[in-house]
Amino acid sequence: SIPPREKRSSTKIISQATANSVTAQIEYNDHIYRLHDGLNIVGRKAATSAANIQIPTPDLYMSRQHISITVNTLPDQTLKALLSNYQNKNQTLVNDQPIVAGDTIRLIDGNRIKMGRTTVTFKLVKQQ
């Protein structure tokens, strides 16, 4: 028989492994761009773009550094993703609602993010 203390320990390990298997990503034209913990800069792919996630689109209304998505793992192991405009003057919409300078919103699974005329989908995905 396993002592109760060991049972609790193994349960904790299993729950952490399950919780840590959730990742945040954005999807565009069947391409998946994984977001890492911390600051993610999303923009249009260009030779002069400093964005760490570059979307290949001809859309000149999408800035080379359009939005930032900051991903944090909370103490309960859930992911929190916050979106704000980055260094751009072009329009950003989340689920058809405009994001103005200074706004920060929490993203949830399935949010549609429109940068210029390009739309990506935010996803929280459990890894198997």
Side-chain angles (χ1 to χ4, degrees):
S1 158
I2 299 172
R5 173 179 259 157
E6 288 180 18
K7 282 184 182 175
R8 272 183 256 139
S9 176
S10 63
T11 301
K12 185 176 181 183
I13 291 168
I14 291 168
S15 66
Q16 283 179 343
T18 302
N20 286 334
S21 64
V22 174
T23 60
Q25 63 192 39
I26 55 175
E27 299 176 1
Y28 172 72
N29 282 353
D30 298 323
H31 291 278
I32 295 171
Y33 301 90
R34 293 200 194 282
L35 303 172
H36 61 78
D37 266 13
L39 182 65
N40 298 272
I41 306 300
V42 181
R44 176 173 42 87
K45 185 173 185 172
T48 56
S49 176
N52 61 315
I53 297 177
Q54 297 186 21
I55 308 294
T57 177
D59 178 6
L60 296 179
Y61 292 96
M62 181 179 180
S63 300
R64 290 169 289 179
Q65 297 168 109
H66 200 100
I67 59 170
S68 68
I69 300 175
T70 303
V71 178
N72 293 306
T73 303
L74 301 177
D76 67 357
Q77 299 302 308
T78 59
L79 291 182
K80 178 171 92 172
L82 300 174
L83 176 142
S84 58
N85 272 325
Y86 195 62
Q87 300 171 349
N88 80 77
K89 295 180 178 112
N90 295 318
Q91 187 174 45
T92 302
L93 303 170
V94 175
N95 294 338
D96 301 320
Q97 298 298 311
I99 306 301
V100 297
D103 280 358
T104 299
I105 65 155
R106 185 169 182 171
L107 295 172
I108 60 171
D109 185 55
N111 280 155
R112 292 176 328 280
I113 304 164
K114 187 173 182 182
M115 297 170 279
R117 296 178 180 162
T118 301
T119 301
V120 301
T121 304
F122 176 79
K123 295 282 192 174
L124 290 172
V125 178
K126 281 194 176 186
Q127 300 299 306
Q128 299 291 331

